Amino acid sequence: MKILVIGGAGYIGSVCAELLLDEGHEVAIFDNLSEGHRAAIDSRAKFVEGDLEDRQSIEKALSTQRPEAVMHFAANALVGESMQNPSKYFRNNIANGLNLLDAMISAGIGKIIFSSTCAIFGPPERVPIDETTAMRPINPYGESKLAFEKILRWYGEIHGLKFVSLRYFNAAGASAKFGEDHRVETHLIPNVLKVALGEKPAVEIFGTDYETPDGTCIRDYIHILDLARAHILALGAAKSDFYNLGTGGGSSVREVIDACRKITGRKIDIVEKARRPGDPPRLIASSEKIKRELGWKPQFQSLDVIIDSAWKWHQKFPRGYGD
């Protein structure tokens, strides 16, 4: 298939593009490089530099590339920042997303795979979180993703747009070529590994008084390669739907730090800080539906395997992509 990957110079988008190309698909990447990196663009892909804010640039990309489907990764995704600057999140994640959908409808492109998040649920009444869990986001990031999911449903009903929305938390790990390098790094595993590399003096733990066994937040870490495979499977979905993605288990902040100490063999100091606003204590996703309906089979469910892949990439690229 011909696929246009929106945000394909970013962390998840770059690995997804890599696997698509490995499987013989024709890939074009559309990215404004505000968060992504030119060095994260697979050399086998076509690259179109553009911004979803500019409706004409995405219309031109769609008419020129003529993809059969679109994968959309170009959202802002920092919970803390969304609590400080909600306008940025609603404008990019909703308004700019609408530019993409409208351009797709105009160009007659009828399928989109959307990178969503379990943050749409907020603090869940039960874990693991399945697709029937009540959706009550507690930050503008989760609210913006939920709003876009609702828009997808209406565009499906009114315009016949086929979509699959994949909701996940805490993508982690790396492929041999591409890994995690954000300009503002808030994710736990790369920040812990930066300490192991001597790039940072200590890792910060935000909140040690949560109602969890060791007092720190618990998250469901899923390997980036397993995530990418789920997106590729979604291309063949017979109907529009929403799927949660996770391992069904979770690791606390302290457990992640201990695993990083074990795998790197390095000293990793910590600094305990107050809770961040908008952080739920425990988020674990159920993937039973996507396993049952699309045949997804995660291959890298061990936290140690995930961290080991990230550590190998960070050792190879200690300063990330260097741009």
Side-chain angles (χ1 to χ4, degrees):
M1 291 179 73
K2 292 184 70 174
I3 314 294
L4 181 64
V5 181
I6 311 293
Y11 173 41
I12 302 173
S14 65
V15 177
C16 216
E18 178 188 7
L19 263 64
L20 283 165
L21 288 158
D22 287 348
E23 294 192 7
H25 297 282
E26 188 176 337
V27 174
I29 287 168
F30 181 92
D31 202 297
N32 64 8
L33 299 178
S34 64
E35 299 291 342
H37 307 271
R38 196 173 289 273
I41 299 168
D42 196 297
S43 61
R44 297 169 292 172
K46 298 174 184 174
F47 176 51
V48 179
E49 187 169 353
D51 197 312
L52 290 180
E53 188 176 18
D54 178 5
R55 171 77 180 271
Q56 288 186 324
S57 72
I58 184 58
E59 286 179 342
K60 183 179 179 183
L62 290 170
S63 64
T64 302
Q65 303 301 326
R66 301 301 306 167
E68 296 163 76
V70 168
M71 289 187 177
H72 178 25
F73 299 98
N76 293 111
L78 302 179
V79 168
E81 183 187 50
S82 81
M83 296 291 284
Q84 298 167 343
N85 187 4
S87 175
K88 176 180 179 179
Y89 281 70
F90 294 132
R91 288 178 191 279
N92 185 42
N93 296 0
I94 300 174
N96 292 353
L98 277 170
N99 282 343
L100 171 60
L101 295 185
D102 289 341
M104 287 178 64
I105 299 303
S106 295
I109 296 156
K111 184 148 200 173
I112 183 169
I113 312 301
F114 175 54
S115 173
S116 190
T117 171
C118 288
I120 64 170
F121 295 106
E125 295 171 346
R126 65 185 187 278
V127 292
I129 303 165
D130 64 20
E131 289 79 4
T132 67
T133 303
M135 293 176 281
R136 295 188 292 263
I138 61 169
N139 50 65
Y141 166 58
E143 193 74 63
S144 68
K145 289 281 195 168
L146 178 57
F148 195 74
E149 283 200 352
K150 291 179 178 179
I151 291 165
L152 284 174
R153 187 177 68 79
W154 283 112
Y155 270 58
E157 186 169 322
I158 295 166
H159 296 296
L161 181 70
K162 294 284 188 295
F163 67 85
V164 173
S165 181
L166 299 175
R167 305 152 165 171
Y168 44 85
F169 259 116
N170 295 79
S175 72
K177 291 170 66 175
F178 301 120
E180 191 166 9
D181 178 19
H182 299 107
R183 288 179 174 81
V184 178
E185 189 58 79
T186 64
H187 291 171
L188 179 61
I189 290 174
N191 275 325
V192 179
L193 295 179
K194 283 175 187 279
V195 179
L197 286 165
E199 299 274 312
K200 291 182 62 173
V203 64
E204 298 167 319
I205 298 179
F206 294 98
T208 58
D209 58 348
Y210 286 97
E211 292 182 7
T212 59
D214 66 17
T216 64
C217 285
I218 291 174
R219 294 291 182 266
D220 191 340
Y221 293 90
I222 182 168
H223 200 294
I224 188 71
L225 292 174
D226 285 331
L227 271 189
R229 289 193 178 94
H231 286 79
I232 294 169
L233 279 173
L235 288 170
K239 60 184 176 66
S240 295
D241 216 333
F242 305 90
Y243 295 100
N244 295 358
L245 277 177
T247 62
S251 303
S252 73
V253 174
R254 291 193 193 278
E255 287 172 336
V256 169
I257 294 169
D258 286 343
C260 288
R261 286 172 174 149
K262 179 180 71 175
I263 287 161
T264 65
R266 308 277 177 90
K267 183 186 179 192
I268 297 172
D269 291 327
I270 64 171
V271 176
E272 296 182 0
K273 294 196 168 184
R275 295 183 183 192
R276 292 181 298 196
D279 266 351
R282 187 190 301 260
L283 294 166
I284 299 170
S286 166
S287 302
E288 293 311 307
K289 182 180 175 183
I290 191 170
K291 289 176 181 176
R292 184 175 65 251
E293 296 187 4
L294 299 187
W296 182 64
K297 295 177 181 177
Q299 297 179 323
F300 308 102
Q301 291 194 282
S302 158
L303 179 65
D304 284 359
V305 170
I306 291 170
I307 291 173
D308 184 61
S309 70
W311 177 234
K312 286 175 179 172
W313 189 84
H314 282 284
Q315 285 182 295
K316 192 175 178 181
F317 304 100
R319 285 173 174 74
Y321 291 108
D323 56 359

